[in-house]
Structures are given as C-alpha cells and as structure tokens.
Amino acid sequence: MSEQSDNEAAVVAGDVSDEGGPGRQEDGTLLQAQAAEAAEALLKLGASDPDLAGTLARVLGVVAAEAARTTRFSRALSRALTSPEPHIASRSAERPRRSSRRAPGVIDPFAVFAAAGDVGLRSRLGELTLEQLRDIIAEHGMDHDRLAMKWKDIQRVSDRIVERVESRTAKGAAFRGRPEQSTDPHGVGSGPKTENSPA
C-alpha cells in the first residue's frame, strides 16, 4: 500500500475521532475504536486496491471534516444515515394498498344469455348490486368508452351488459352454428342438408 493511502487512512481516523469533543469521553473512546476499525479496513483494502482505498479515505475525510465544520450538514448527514423513525415506518406499513383489480363476476352473462335469452339475462342482472354489475363489466371488458364504471344507475349498467352480450353474441354467430353445406362441385343441391334429402 502506498504511503499516501496510509496517510489518508490516518487522516480519516483523526477526523472521525475529533468529532467526540471534550464533554464526551465515553463516546470518544468508542469513536476512537470505530475510527481505528475504519482505518484498519482501509489499510486491508489498500493492499489489494490502493486506488479505491485512497478514494474512500479522501471521501470519508472530506465528509467528516465538513460535518465537523457545518452543523447543518452534520444534522442532514445524521438523518440520512439513521434508520427512519419507527412510527413513520409503521404508518406506511399499516396503510393497506388499494387493489385496482375487481372481483370476478358472480354470473357469466354470456352463459345466461345463451340459456335464457334477453329476458332471462335481464332478470338475473336485476338481482345483482351495482358493484356486482361493475365486476361483470370489468371482467368481460365491457367498458370500452370508460363510462360504464362511473355510472350510478343500476338499470343503465345492466343495459350496457345486455347490449355488449347481444353485440358480441351476434358477431360470434357468424362463426358458430352454420348449417352444413353440400360440397357438390357442380353446385347441385348446394343448400342446407335436411334429414330427407339424399346424401
């Protein structure tokens, strides 16, 4: 380790140990022990990485000298290096995080519509609360204009669900339940097959 790093480690130890002041003999002894430990650690580091040891020694020396010179800096440094007040930490831990996720809907409006139609769906929706209706809207992505989740009128929210279910069902019907078509290459009998028609 270079002589410069040894000197910087000694400067750090001296700067830190001077902080105690005349009225703090017990604290001064503890501080001297801590400064000696810091100097020893810097010396060990200097054996493998003298540049880093020198840099750390200079930084610690400047910080300690400024803290001894400026009360405001000393207080700010002390606040930054101490753990937060227990009551502040516990307050943030006590505050529950609000979840932006809603509960799943209590019914599947598409299944109800398929089984009971428009009237059956409206009847089932009429049994639900506003929040349960909003859960269905959120689960099935029915708030395309970002208005339905703000509505307070249950009937209006229910109408939105029925409207979206009917719309999506009509769009999906183009791909489901088509009558089977004949594959006759000449176009003869290309209509839907019936039970009595020849194959």
Side-chain angles (χ1 to χ4, degrees):
M1 185 164 153
S2 68
E3 189 176 316
Q4 180 183 4
S5 293
D6 287 340
N7 291 340
E8 287 168 347
V11 166
V12 169
D15 284 344
V16 173
S17 63
D18 287 345
E19 275 185 18
R24 296 179 154 184
Q25 290 299 328
E26 292 172 9
D27 289 345
T29 305
L30 176 62
L31 189 58
Q32 285 177 348
Q34 291 170 336
E37 285 178 23
E40 185 179 330
L42 283 171
L43 292 173
K44 283 182 184 176
L45 177 61
S48 60
D49 193 344
D51 291 335
L52 179 59
T55 301
L56 284 173
R58 285 190 300 278
V59 167
L60 290 173
V62 168
V63 169
E66 186 62 22
R69 191 178 73 77
T70 311
T71 306
R72 184 174 170 195
F73 178 74
S74 176
R75 287 185 188 140
L77 185 62
S78 184
R79 279 192 306 270
L81 295 176
T82 57
S83 62
E85 297 285 328
H87 66 278
I88 293 172
S90 65
R91 258 190 292 167
S92 62
E94 288 171 7
R95 192 175 12 218
R97 294 185 77 183
R98 200 171 140 197
S99 173
S100 60
R101 297 197 131 193
R102 297 193 64 94
V106 293
I107 64 168
D108 178 356
F110 296 95
V112 173
F113 183 79
D118 179 271
V119 175
L121 178 57
R122 286 185 187 277
S123 174
R124 288 293 304 274
L125 294 175
E127 300 169 2
L128 304 179
T129 66
L130 179 61
E131 288 305 310
Q132 289 172 324
L133 293 173
R134 287 178 175 165
D135 289 340
I136 292 170
I137 285 181
E139 180 180 11
H140 295 284
M142 296 178 174
D143 195 17
H144 59 280
D145 53 5
R146 301 198 184 277
L147 294 174
M149 295 298 277
K150 297 175 187 174
W151 294 338
K152 307 260 188 254
D153 181 18
I154 289 180
Q155 186 59 47
R156 193 173 183 192
V157 177
S158 180
D159 288 344
R160 167 60 66 90
I161 294 171
V162 172
E163 168 208 327
R164 299 310 301 158
V165 168
E166 287 176 340
S167 172
R168 289 182 188 174
T169 302
K171 286 179 184 174
F175 301 102
R176 291 188 309 268
R178 293 177 125 181
E180 191 177 322
Q181 301 289 324
S182 169
T183 56
D184 185 355
H186 302 293
V188 178
S190 60
K193 287 186 178 180
T194 60
E195 286 184 21
N196 297 334
S197 62

PDB file of all heavy atoms in Angstrom, residues 4 24 30 46 51 57 64 79 87 101-103 107 116 124 128 133-134 156 159-160 165 168 173 180 192 194:
ATOM      1  N   GLN A   4       0.775   7.366   0.678  1.00  0.00           N
ATOM      2  CA  GLN A   4      -0.328   8.319   0.615  1.00  0.00           C
ATOM      3  C   GLN A   4      -1.594   7.701   1.190  1.00  0.00           C
ATOM      4  O   GLN A   4      -2.321   8.345   1.945  1.00  0.00           O
ATOM      5  CB  GLN A   4      -0.565   8.748  -0.841  1.00  0.00           C
ATOM      6  CG  GLN A   4      -1.703   9.745  -0.986  1.00  0.00           C
ATOM      7  CD  GLN A   4      -1.964  10.103  -2.438  1.00  0.00           C
ATOM      8  OE1 GLN A   4      -1.356   9.561  -3.339  1.00  0.00           O
ATOM      9  NE2 GLN A   4      -2.900  11.015  -2.649  1.00  0.00           N
ATOM     10  N   ARG A  24     -17.385  14.406  25.909  1.00  0.00           N
ATOM     11  CA  ARG A  24     -17.860  13.064  25.544  1.00  0.00           C
ATOM     12  C   ARG A  24     -16.726  12.049  25.641  1.00  0.00           C
ATOM     13  O   ARG A  24     -16.357  11.447  24.648  1.00  0.00           O
ATOM     14  CB  ARG A  24     -18.401  13.079  24.126  1.00  0.00           C
ATOM     15  CG  ARG A  24     -19.615  13.947  23.969  1.00  0.00           C
ATOM     16  CD  ARG A  24     -20.027  13.888  22.548  1.00  0.00           C
ATOM     17  NE  ARG A  24     -21.434  14.154  22.406  1.00  0.00           N
ATOM     18  CZ  ARG A  24     -22.072  14.094  21.276  1.00  0.00           C
ATOM     19  NH1 ARG A  24     -21.450  13.754  20.182  1.00  0.00           N
ATOM     20  NH2 ARG A  24     -23.348  14.368  21.211  1.00  0.00           N
ATOM     21  N   LEU A  30     -15.312   5.079  22.263  1.00  0.00           N
ATOM     22  CA  LEU A  30     -15.998   4.255  21.276  1.00  0.00           C
ATOM     23  C   LEU A  30     -15.697   4.756  19.866  1.00  0.00           C
ATOM     24  O   LEU A  30     -15.429   3.974  18.962  1.00  0.00           O
ATOM     25  CB  LEU A  30     -17.514   4.282  21.529  1.00  0.00           C
ATOM     26  CG  LEU A  30     -18.381   3.537  20.517  1.00  0.00           C
ATOM     27  CD1 LEU A  30     -18.047   2.043  20.515  1.00  0.00           C
ATOM     28  CD2 LEU A  30     -19.853   3.754  20.820  1.00  0.00           C
ATOM     29  N   GLY A  46      -6.349  -1.340   0.894  1.00  0.00           N
ATOM     30  CA  GLY A  46      -5.212  -0.758   0.171  1.00  0.00           C
ATOM     31  C   GLY A  46      -4.223  -1.792  -0.314  1.00  0.00           C
ATOM     32  O   GLY A  46      -3.529  -1.569  -1.311  1.00  0.00           O
ATOM     33  N   ASP A  51      -5.963   2.298  -5.132  1.00  0.00           N
ATOM     34  CA  ASP A  51      -6.710   3.447  -5.663  1.00  0.00           C
ATOM     35  C   ASP A  51      -8.064   3.593  -4.968  1.00  0.00           C
ATOM     36  O   ASP A  51      -8.455   4.689  -4.566  1.00  0.00           O
ATOM     37  CB  ASP A  51      -6.919   3.308  -7.179  1.00  0.00           C
ATOM     38  CG  ASP A  51      -5.611   3.446  -7.952  1.00  0.00           C
ATOM     39  OD1 ASP A  51      -4.683   4.084  -7.419  1.00  0.00           O
ATOM     40  OD2 ASP A  51      -5.533   2.912  -9.075  1.00  0.00           O
ATOM     41  N   ALA A  57     -10.806   6.850   1.488  1.00  0.00           N
ATOM     42  CA  ALA A  57     -10.213   7.624   2.585  1.00  0.00           C
ATOM     43  C   ALA A  57     -10.428   9.116   2.364  1.00  0.00           C
ATOM     44  O   ALA A  57     -10.775   9.849   3.296  1.00  0.00           O
ATOM     45  CB  ALA A  57      -8.727   7.298   2.715  1.00  0.00           C
ATOM     46  N   ALA A  64     -16.225  13.871   6.900  1.00  0.00           N
ATOM     47  CA  ALA A  64     -16.037  14.076   8.341  1.00  0.00           C
ATOM     48  C   ALA A  64     -15.625  15.513   8.635  1.00  0.00           C
ATOM     49  O   ALA A  64     -16.125  16.131   9.587  1.00  0.00           O
ATOM     50  CB  ALA A  64     -14.992  13.100   8.883  1.00  0.00           C
ATOM     51  N   ARG A  79     -29.313  12.437   9.844  1.00  0.00           N
ATOM     52  CA  ARG A  79     -30.662  11.982   9.470  1.00  0.00           C
ATOM     53  C   ARG A  79     -30.603  10.977   8.326  1.00  0.00           C
ATOM     54  O   ARG A  79     -31.341   9.999   8.308  1.00  0.00           O
ATOM     55  CB  ARG A  79     -31.527  13.180   9.063  1.00  0.00           C
ATOM     56  CG  ARG A  79     -32.107  13.945  10.232  1.00  0.00           C
ATOM     57  CD  ARG A  79     -33.182  14.917   9.768  1.00  0.00           C
ATOM     58  NE  ARG A  79     -32.733  15.827   8.730  1.00  0.00           N
ATOM     59  CZ  ARG A  79     -32.175  17.015   8.938  1.00  0.00           C
ATOM     60  NH1 ARG A  79     -31.979  17.433  10.175  1.00  0.00           N
ATOM     61  NH2 ARG A  79     -31.805  17.774   7.930  1.00  0.00           N
ATOM     62  N   HIS A  87     -42.295   4.957  14.152  1.00  0.00           N
ATOM     63  CA  HIS A  87     -43.711   5.262  13.926  1.00  0.00           C
ATOM     64  C   HIS A  87     -43.966   5.658  12.481  1.00  0.00           C
ATOM     65  O   HIS A  87     -45.030   5.427  11.940  1.00  0.00           O
ATOM     66  CB  HIS A  87     -44.209   6.336  14.897  1.00  0.00           C
ATOM     67  CG  HIS A  87     -43.573   7.680  14.704  1.00  0.00           C
ATOM     68  ND1 HIS A  87     -42.353   8.000  15.234  1.00  0.00           N
ATOM     69  CD2 HIS A  87     -43.992   8.767  14.017  1.00  0.00           C
ATOM     70  CE1 HIS A  87     -42.035   9.243  14.893  1.00  0.00           C
ATOM     71  NE2 HIS A  87     -43.012   9.737  14.153  1.00  0.00           N
ATOM     72  N   ARG A 101     -57.779  -4.290  -8.921  1.00  0.00           N
ATOM     73  CA  ARG A 101     -58.470  -5.433  -9.507  1.00  0.00           C
ATOM     74  C   ARG A 101     -59.818  -5.616  -8.830  1.00  0.00           C
ATOM     75  O   ARG A 101     -59.948  -5.505  -7.631  1.00  0.00           O
ATOM     76  CB  ARG A 101     -57.649  -6.703  -9.338  1.00  0.00           C
ATOM     77  CG  ARG A 101     -56.339  -6.612 -10.058  1.00  0.00           C
ATOM     78  CD  ARG A 101     -55.773  -7.951 -10.218  1.00  0.00           C
ATOM     79  NE  ARG A 101     -55.405  -8.058 -11.622  1.00  0.00           N
ATOM     80  CZ  ARG A 101     -55.091  -9.160 -12.206  1.00  0.00           C
ATOM     81  NH1 ARG A 101     -55.112 -10.274 -11.540  1.00  0.00           N
ATOM     82  NH2 ARG A 101     -54.735  -9.183 -13.460  1.00  0.00           N
ATOM     83  N   ARG A 102     -60.790  -5.946  -9.647  1.00  0.00           N
ATOM     84  CA  ARG A 102     -62.130  -6.190  -9.129  1.00  0.00           C
ATOM     85  C   ARG A 102     -62.333  -7.694  -8.978  1.00  0.00           C
ATOM     86  O   ARG A 102     -61.627  -8.491  -9.563  1.00  0.00           O
ATOM     87  CB  ARG A 102     -63.166  -5.599 -10.077  1.00  0.00           C
ATOM     88  CG  ARG A 102     -63.054  -4.087 -10.191  1.00  0.00           C
ATOM     89  CD  ARG A 102     -64.268  -3.511 -10.861  1.00  0.00           C
ATOM     90  NE  ARG A 102     -65.471  -3.714 -10.077  1.00  0.00           N
ATOM     91  CZ  ARG A 102     -65.972  -2.833  -9.205  1.00  0.00           C
ATOM     92  NH1 ARG A 102     -65.348  -1.708  -9.001  1.00  0.00           N
ATOM     93  NH2 ARG A 102     -67.078  -3.094  -8.549  1.00  0.00           N
ATOM     94  N   ALA A 103     -63.344  -8.033  -8.209  1.00  0.00           N
ATOM     95  CA  ALA A 103     -63.694  -9.445  -8.027  1.00  0.00           C
ATOM     96  C   ALA A 103     -64.282  -9.979  -9.337  1.00  0.00           C
ATOM     97  O   ALA A 103     -64.835  -9.219 -10.119  1.00  0.00           O
ATOM     98  CB  ALA A 103     -64.711  -9.577  -6.899  1.00  0.00           C
ATOM     99  N   ILE A 107     -71.952 -13.950 -12.092  1.00  0.00           N
ATOM    100  CA  ILE A 107     -72.562 -14.770 -13.144  1.00  0.00           C
ATOM    101  C   ILE A 107     -71.796 -14.556 -14.442  1.00  0.00           C
ATOM    102  O   ILE A 107     -71.096 -13.554 -14.599  1.00  0.00           O
ATOM    103  CB  ILE A 107     -74.057 -14.428 -13.376  1.00  0.00           C
ATOM    104  CG1 ILE A 107     -74.216 -12.988 -13.879  1.00  0.00           C
ATOM    105  CG2 ILE A 107     -74.900 -14.684 -12.149  1.00  0.00           C
ATOM    106  CD1 ILE A 107     -75.605 -12.658 -14.411  1.00  0.00           C
ATOM    107  N   ALA A 116     -81.051 -18.488 -21.424  1.00  0.00           N
ATOM    108  CA  ALA A 116     -82.358 -17.895 -21.120  1.00  0.00           C
ATOM    109  C   ALA A 116     -82.708 -16.686 -21.982  1.00  0.00           C
ATOM    110  O   ALA A 116     -83.779 -16.109 -21.801  1.00  0.00           O
ATOM    111  CB  ALA A 116     -82.395 -17.503 -19.653  1.00  0.00           C
ATOM    112  N   ARG A 124     -81.754 -11.964 -14.289  1.00  0.00           N
ATOM    113  CA  ARG A 124     -80.611 -12.293 -13.407  1.00  0.00           C
ATOM    114  C   ARG A 124     -79.839 -11.039 -13.019  1.00  0.00           C
ATOM    115  O   ARG A 124     -79.422 -10.892 -11.877  1.00  0.00           O
ATOM    116  CB  ARG A 124     -79.662 -13.268 -14.100  1.00  0.00           C
ATOM    117  CG  ARG A 124     -80.173 -14.679 -14.244  1.00  0.00           C
ATOM    118  CD  ARG A 124     -80.332 -15.425 -12.921  1.00  0.00           C
ATOM    119  NE  ARG A 124     -79.149 -15.494 -12.103  1.00  0.00           N
ATOM    120  CZ  ARG A 124     -78.188 -16.416 -12.201  1.00  0.00           C
ATOM    121  NH1 ARG A 124     -78.302 -17.376 -13.084  1.00  0.00           N
ATOM    122  NH2 ARG A 124     -77.152 -16.380 -11.408  1.00  0.00           N
ATOM    123  N   LEU A 128     -78.759  -8.343  -8.977  1.00  0.00           N
ATOM    124  CA  LEU A 128     -77.402  -8.001  -8.535  1.00  0.00           C
ATOM    125  C   LEU A 128     -77.293  -6.559  -8.079  1.00  0.00           C
ATOM    126  O   LEU A 128     -78.071  -5.686  -8.486  1.00  0.00           O
ATOM    127  CB  LEU A 128     -76.417  -8.263  -9.677  1.00  0.00           C
ATOM    128  CG  LEU A 128     -76.406  -9.678 -10.259  1.00  0.00           C
ATOM    129  CD1 LEU A 128     -75.391  -9.777 -11.384  1.00  0.00           C
ATOM    130  CD2 LEU A 128     -76.113 -10.710  -9.185  1.00  0.00           C
ATOM    131  N   LEU A 133     -72.558  -5.751 -10.706  1.00  0.00           N
ATOM    132  CA  LEU A 133     -72.673  -5.445 -12.134  1.00  0.00           C
ATOM    133  C   LEU A 133     -71.359  -4.882 -12.665  1.00  0.00           C
ATOM    134  O   LEU A 133     -70.900  -5.237 -13.763  1.00  0.00           O
ATOM    135  CB  LEU A 133     -73.820  -4.462 -12.381  1.00  0.00           C
ATOM    136  CG  LEU A 133     -75.231  -4.984 -12.102  1.00  0.00           C
ATOM    137  CD1 LEU A 133     -76.247  -3.858 -12.213  1.00  0.00           C
ATOM    138  CD2 LEU A 133     -75.596  -6.124 -13.036  1.00  0.00           C
ATOM    139  N   ARG A 134     -70.730  -4.029 -11.887  1.00  0.00           N
ATOM    140  CA  ARG A 134     -69.440  -3.462 -12.294  1.00  0.00           C
ATOM    141  C   ARG A 134     -68.363  -4.542 -12.384  1.00  0.00           C
ATOM    142  O   ARG A 134     -67.487  -4.485 -13.252  1.00  0.00           O
ATOM    143  CB  ARG A 134     -69.010  -2.375 -11.311  1.00  0.00           C
ATOM    144  CG  ARG A 134     -69.814  -1.095 -11.456  1.00  0.00           C
ATOM    145  CD  ARG A 134     -69.404  -0.068 -10.438  1.00  0.00           C
ATOM    146  NE  ARG A 134     -70.095   1.196 -10.653  1.00  0.00           N
ATOM    147  CZ  ARG A 134     -70.146   2.163  -9.766  1.00  0.00           C
ATOM    148  NH1 ARG A 134     -69.532   2.034  -8.584  1.00  0.00           N
ATOM    149  NH2 ARG A 134     -70.774   3.278 -10.041  1.00  0.00           N
ATOM    150  N   ARG A 156     -78.985   1.396 -16.009  1.00  0.00           N
ATOM    151  CA  ARG A 156     -78.091   1.805 -17.097  1.00  0.00           C
ATOM    152  C   ARG A 156     -76.923   0.837 -17.234  1.00  0.00           C
ATOM    153  O   ARG A 156     -76.526   0.451 -18.333  1.00  0.00           O
ATOM    154  CB  ARG A 156     -77.597   3.230 -16.822  1.00  0.00           C
ATOM    155  CG  ARG A 156     -76.928   3.881 -17.977  1.00  0.00           C
ATOM    156  CD  ARG A 156     -76.633   5.326 -17.646  1.00  0.00           C
ATOM    157  NE  ARG A 156     -76.050   6.001 -18.794  1.00  0.00           N
ATOM    158  CZ  ARG A 156     -75.494   7.186 -18.747  1.00  0.00           C
ATOM    159  NH1 ARG A 156     -75.456   7.861 -17.607  1.00  0.00           N
ATOM    160  NH2 ARG A 156     -74.974   7.728 -19.821  1.00  0.00           N
ATOM    161  N   ASP A 159     -78.192  -2.399 -18.646  1.00  0.00           N
ATOM    162  CA  ASP A 159     -78.421  -2.265 -20.087  1.00  0.00           C
ATOM    163  C   ASP A 159     -77.118  -2.385 -20.868  1.00  0.00           C
ATOM    164  O   ASP A 159     -77.082  -2.972 -21.949  1.00  0.00           O
ATOM    165  CB  ASP A 159     -79.097  -0.925 -20.403  1.00  0.00           C
ATOM    166  CG  ASP A 159     -80.560  -0.883 -19.968  1.00  0.00           C
ATOM    167  OD1 ASP A 159     -81.133  -1.961 -19.707  1.00  0.00           O
ATOM    168  OD2 ASP A 159     -81.111   0.233 -19.880  1.00  0.00           O
ATOM    169  N   ARG A 160     -76.042  -1.830 -20.327  1.00  0.00           N
ATOM    170  CA  ARG A 160     -74.741  -1.925 -21.000  1.00  0.00           C
ATOM    171  C   ARG A 160     -74.323  -3.385 -21.121  1.00  0.00           C
ATOM    172  O   ARG A 160     -73.830  -3.819 -22.156  1.00  0.00           O
ATOM    173  CB  ARG A 160     -73.681  -1.116 -20.227  1.00  0.00           C
ATOM    174  CG  ARG A 160     -72.233  -1.370 -20.641  1.00  0.00           C
ATOM    175  CD  ARG A 160     -71.923  -1.059 -22.109  1.00  0.00           C
ATOM    176  NE  ARG A 160     -72.025   0.335 -22.423  1.00  0.00           N
ATOM    177  CZ  ARG A 160     -71.027   1.200 -22.340  1.00  0.00           C
ATOM    178  NH1 ARG A 160     -69.836   0.811 -21.969  1.00  0.00           N
ATOM    179  NH2 ARG A 160     -71.229   2.458 -22.650  1.00  0.00           N
ATOM    180  N   VAL A 165     -73.374  -8.075 -24.496  1.00  0.00           N
ATOM    181  CA  VAL A 165     -73.546  -9.515 -24.672  1.00  0.00           C
ATOM    182  C   VAL A 165     -74.233  -9.787 -26.010  1.00  0.00           C
ATOM    183  O   VAL A 165     -73.790 -10.647 -26.781  1.00  0.00           O
ATOM    184  CB  VAL A 165     -74.346 -10.128 -23.499  1.00  0.00           C
ATOM    185  CG1 VAL A 165     -74.771 -11.556 -23.809  1.00  0.00           C
ATOM    186  CG2 VAL A 165     -73.509 -10.107 -22.224  1.00  0.00           C
ATOM    187  N   ARG A 168     -71.736  -8.990 -28.956  1.00  0.00           N
ATOM    188  CA  ARG A 168     -70.669  -9.989 -29.121  1.00  0.00           C
ATOM    189  C   ARG A 168     -71.236 -11.334 -29.578  1.00  0.00           C
ATOM    190  O   ARG A 168     -70.609 -12.039 -30.355  1.00  0.00           O
ATOM    191  CB  ARG A 168     -69.889 -10.153 -27.825  1.00  0.00           C
ATOM    192  CG  ARG A 168     -69.035  -8.948 -27.518  1.00  0.00           C
ATOM    193  CD  ARG A 168     -68.246  -9.157 -26.256  1.00  0.00           C
ATOM    194  NE  ARG A 168     -67.576  -7.926 -25.858  1.00  0.00           N
ATOM    195  CZ  ARG A 168     -66.916  -7.790 -24.726  1.00  0.00           C
ATOM    196  NH1 ARG A 168     -66.827  -8.804 -23.884  1.00  0.00           N
ATOM    197  NH2 ARG A 168     -66.336  -6.648 -24.437  1.00  0.00           N
ATOM    198  N   ALA A 173     -71.833 -15.277 -33.894  1.00  0.00           N
ATOM    199  CA  ALA A 173     -72.746 -16.216 -34.549  1.00  0.00           C
ATOM    200  C   ALA A 173     -72.317 -16.506 -35.977  1.00  0.00           C
ATOM    201  O   ALA A 173     -72.649 -17.556 -36.528  1.00  0.00           O
ATOM    202  CB  ALA A 173     -74.165 -15.662 -34.530  1.00  0.00           C
ATOM    203  N   GLU A 180     -74.777 -27.094 -42.234  1.00  0.00           N
ATOM    204  CA  GLU A 180     -73.759 -27.773 -43.034  1.00  0.00           C
ATOM    205  C   GLU A 180     -74.089 -27.619 -44.513  1.00  0.00           C
ATOM    206  O   GLU A 180     -75.213 -27.823 -44.949  1.00  0.00           O
ATOM    207  CB  GLU A 180     -73.726 -29.254 -42.660  1.00  0.00           C
ATOM    208  CG  GLU A 180     -72.546 -29.984 -43.222  1.00  0.00           C
ATOM    209  CD  GLU A 180     -72.538 -31.423 -42.762  1.00  0.00           C
ATOM    210  OE1 GLU A 180     -72.902 -31.677 -41.606  1.00  0.00           O
ATOM    211  OE2 GLU A 180     -72.177 -32.281 -43.572  1.00  0.00           O
ATOM    212  N   PRO A 192     -78.749 -26.191 -47.599  1.00  0.00           N
ATOM    213  CA  PRO A 192     -78.538 -26.963 -46.389  1.00  0.00           C
ATOM    214  C   PRO A 192     -79.126 -28.352 -46.523  1.00  0.00           C
ATOM    215  O   PRO A 192     -80.136 -28.537 -47.163  1.00  0.00           O
ATOM    216  CB  PRO A 192     -79.257 -26.166 -45.311  1.00  0.00           C
ATOM    217  CG  PRO A 192     -79.759 -24.920 -45.933  1.00  0.00           C
ATOM    218  CD  PRO A 192     -79.556 -25.018 -47.400  1.00  0.00           C
ATOM    219  N   THR A 194     -81.041 -31.620 -45.353  1.00  0.00           N
ATOM    220  CA  THR A 194     -82.129 -31.949 -44.445  1.00  0.00           C
ATOM    221  C   THR A 194     -82.087 -33.453 -44.236  1.00  0.00           C
ATOM    222  O   THR A 194     -81.393 -34.182 -44.949  1.00  0.00           O
ATOM    223  CB  THR A 194     -83.492 -31.534 -45.039  1.00  0.00           C
ATOM    224  OG1 THR A 194     -83.681 -32.233 -46.260  1.00  0.00           O
ATOM    225  CG2 THR A 194     -83.563 -30.038 -45.257  1.00  0.00           C
TER     226      THR A 194
END
